[in-house]
């Protein structure tokens, strides 16, 4: 049986180091079964798993590798791998993989330790850890706004729902955001991001602002909160709130549109999504008038929302056409995906209310954004402490990739 040997190399990185070491293997015609390399602060760790055929001898190969390592000023270690252990490793390929993304103000040892502990408790192995956020200067220059670390893990979680719950609890304790995604071809090939509007792309509920102008602000705000928590039917809640707007002058809409507070990170997120060829959509239980204003400002591709009925310059308290509720949002997301000829697994949906859950549940990546407790609990992912642009980390983009 051929010898299988793991070569472990560590030391200061320099141009040509990997080339010179693998050149020795090339000279002997050695097969490389696996190879991995990482560099942290100019310090290299390189692992090469090699197969030495039965007709060859390992001693000359290892001797020349050791000498080349000495010339390059790096440490070299050898570890023989038993045949059955190698076959166990081979048979492990194809096991499920997940990506865990940790976003915080800083990459604290406490947060990383807790994440690693939850991973271990669920029987998963960490294969790789990457920093996606920028490097932190120590000379007084501004630090990156976020710190993000991505874990690549392998195996089947002991209890996936319990694991998600543990991450949610830990995220609240440490004031961080954590996402757990299956690592598959769709995760690396997202093509569409659909946003709720009110309290997601903008930091207000437009219907509450309209109600204030109509003198019914507190009553309508209470109904809105109840609807977003999923306590009352969305369609019925909308009809109740719309009734309070009857007779309101349409000029009020322009006044409100001029002062819409755009959510932190929304502009950066959408400009980068456009840069990388994503399609974007607003799918809202709010109103088309305001969605179209945001579309013009942000460059969003699609807008679907409720169209307010206006007669003689006044709101009638009704909407034209079907009400965009939770099931309708999911239907519209499917419609856009079909038009763009993409799988729903390539879609991302972002929202904060109970009426967003249907579209969050069918998207490949459904994100509860600064959401109500029920929505955070039922959605697969949540962002509760940072802006919308932290979604860039969830799709695997590094700070150096983005504007």
């Amino acid at each position: 049986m051929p010898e299988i040997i793991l070569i472990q190399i560590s030391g200061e990185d320099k141009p040509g180091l990997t080339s010179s070491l693998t050149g020795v293997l090339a000279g002997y015609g050695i097969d490389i079964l696996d190879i991995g390399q990482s560099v942290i602060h100019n310090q290299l760790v390189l692992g090469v798993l090699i197969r030495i055929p039965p007709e060859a001898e390992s001693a000359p190969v290892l001797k020349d590798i050791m000498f080349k390592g000495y010339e390059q000023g790096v440490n070299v270690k050898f570890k023989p791998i038993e045949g059955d252990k190698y076959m166990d490793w081979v048979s492990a390929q194809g096991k499920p993989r997940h990506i865990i993304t940790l976003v915080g103000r800083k990459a604290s040892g406490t947060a990383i330790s807790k994440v690693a502990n939850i991973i271990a408790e669920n029987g998963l192995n960490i294969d790789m850890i990457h920093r996606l956020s920028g490097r932190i200067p120590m000379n007084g220059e501004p630090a990156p706004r976020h710190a993000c670390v991505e874990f690549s893990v392998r195996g089947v979680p002991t209890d996936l729902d319990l694991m998600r719950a543990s991450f949610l609890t830990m995220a609240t304790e440490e004031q961080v955001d954590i996402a757990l995604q299956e690592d598959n071809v769709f995760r690396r090939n997202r093509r569409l991001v659909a946003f709720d509007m009110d309290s997601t792309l903008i930091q207000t509920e437009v219907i509450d602002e309209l109600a204030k102008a109509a003198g019914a602000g507190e009553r309508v705000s209470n109904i809105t909160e109840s609807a977003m928590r999923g306590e009352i039917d969305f369609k019925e809640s909308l009809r109740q709130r719309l009734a309070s707007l009857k007779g309101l002058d349409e000029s009020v809409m322009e006044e409100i549109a001029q002062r819409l507070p755009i959510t932190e990170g929304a502009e950066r997120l959408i400009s980068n999504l456009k840069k990388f060829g994503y399609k974007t959509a607003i799918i809202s239980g709010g109103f088309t008038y305001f969605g179209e204003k945001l579309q013009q400002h942000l460059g969003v591709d699609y807008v679907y929302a409720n169209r307010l009925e206006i007669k003689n310059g006044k709101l009638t308290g009704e909407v034209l056409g079907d009400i965009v509720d939770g099931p309708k949002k999911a239907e519209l997301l499917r419609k856009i995906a079909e038009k763009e000829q993409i799988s729903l697994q390539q879609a991302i949906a972002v929202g904060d209310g109970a009426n967003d859950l249907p579209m969050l549940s069918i998207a490949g990546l459904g994100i509860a954004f600064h959401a109500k407790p029920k929505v955070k609990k039922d959605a697969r992912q949540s962002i509760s402490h940072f802006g919308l642009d932290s979604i860039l980390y969830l799709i695997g983009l590094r700070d150096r990739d983005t504007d």
Side-chain angles (χ1 to χ4, degrees), residues 130-363:
H130 299 290
R131 172 180 48 81
L132 300 186
S133 51
R135 296 176 181 177
I136 301 173
M138 293 293 174
N139 60 357
E141 293 182 6
R145 290 170 48 241
H146 304 115
C148 179
V149 177
E150 181 183 88
F151 301 76
S152 176
V153 302
R154 173 173 38 85
V156 179
T158 305
D159 186 327
L160 184 58
D161 290 338
L162 182 60
M163 187 177 185
R164 290 189 189 280
S166 299
F167 279 138
L168 188 59
T169 300
M170 178 253 163
T172 301
E173 292 172 349
E174 297 298 321
Q175 296 292 288
V176 297
D177 287 324
I178 304 173
L180 169 64
Q181 304 177 61
E182 184 180 352
D183 188 13
N184 56 30
V185 67
F186 296 116
R187 189 196 77 87
R188 298 185 292 275
N189 193 27
R190 309 288 190 204
R191 304 308 309 150
L192 166 68
V193 185
F195 301 93
D196 174 46
M197 180 171 65
D198 298 65
S199 297
T200 300
L201 271 183
I202 56 175
Q203 294 178 305
T204 190
E205 294 284 336
V206 167
I207 197 165
D208 293 353
E209 298 302 312
L210 291 168
K212 289 176 187 176
E218 184 176 353
R219 174 177 170 274
V220 168
S221 179
N222 289 338
I223 297 173
T224 300
E225 282 293 313
S226 184
M228 292 303 100
R229 290 192 296 265
E231 296 168 351
I232 57 176
D233 176 70
F234 180 82
K235 284 185 177 181
E236 180 57 32
S237 77
L238 184 61
R239 292 189 184 100
Q240 291 179 26
R241 290 176 288 169
L242 283 171
S244 300
L245 307 182
K246 185 175 181 178
L248 186 66
D249 196 285
E250 68 174 321
S251 64
V252 173
M253 294 197 297
E254 177 61 25
E255 295 172 11
I256 292 173
Q258 291 296 327
R259 61 174 190 268
L260 289 179
I262 295 176
T263 299
E264 175 194 358
E267 292 166 308
R268 178 171 178 260
L269 170 61
I270 292 177
S271 67
N272 276 286
L273 291 174
K274 290 168 63 179
K275 169 184 169 183
F276 292 110
Y278 282 72
K279 293 294 183 179
T280 55
I282 293 172
I283 304 179
S284 173
F287 307 115
T288 54
Y289 181 89
F290 303 94
E292 288 166 359
K293 292 287 186 182
L294 284 173
Q295 181 181 32
Q296 294 168 13
H297 178 70
L298 297 172
V300 174
D301 297 294
Y302 297 93
V303 174
Y304 292 97
N306 298 301
R307 189 170 296 278
L308 289 166
E309 183 180 59
I310 300 171
K311 291 183 179 179
N312 301 319
K314 304 287 185 181
L315 275 65
T316 67
E318 303 285 343
V319 294
L320 301 171
D322 295 336
I323 290 176
V324 179
D325 61 357
K328 187 67 173 179
K329 287 189 171 193
E331 178 188 326
L332 289 167
L333 182 60
R334 286 192 180 94
K335 176 181 176 180
I336 297 171
E338 288 173 5
K339 183 175 180 181
E340 294 295 333
Q341 297 183 316
I342 64 171
S343 164
L344 280 169
Q345 288 298 311
Q346 295 175 275
I348 300 171
V350 189
D352 73 297
N355 63 322
D356 294 310
L357 282 170
M359 75 170 180
L360 299 188
S361 68
I362 65 169

Side-chain angles (χ1 to χ4, degrees), residues 81-93:
I81 304 298
E82 295 176 10
D84 57 346
K85 290 186 177 179
Y86 174 77
M87 290 309 300
D88 287 344
W89 175 76
V90 170
S91 64
Q93 65 184 341

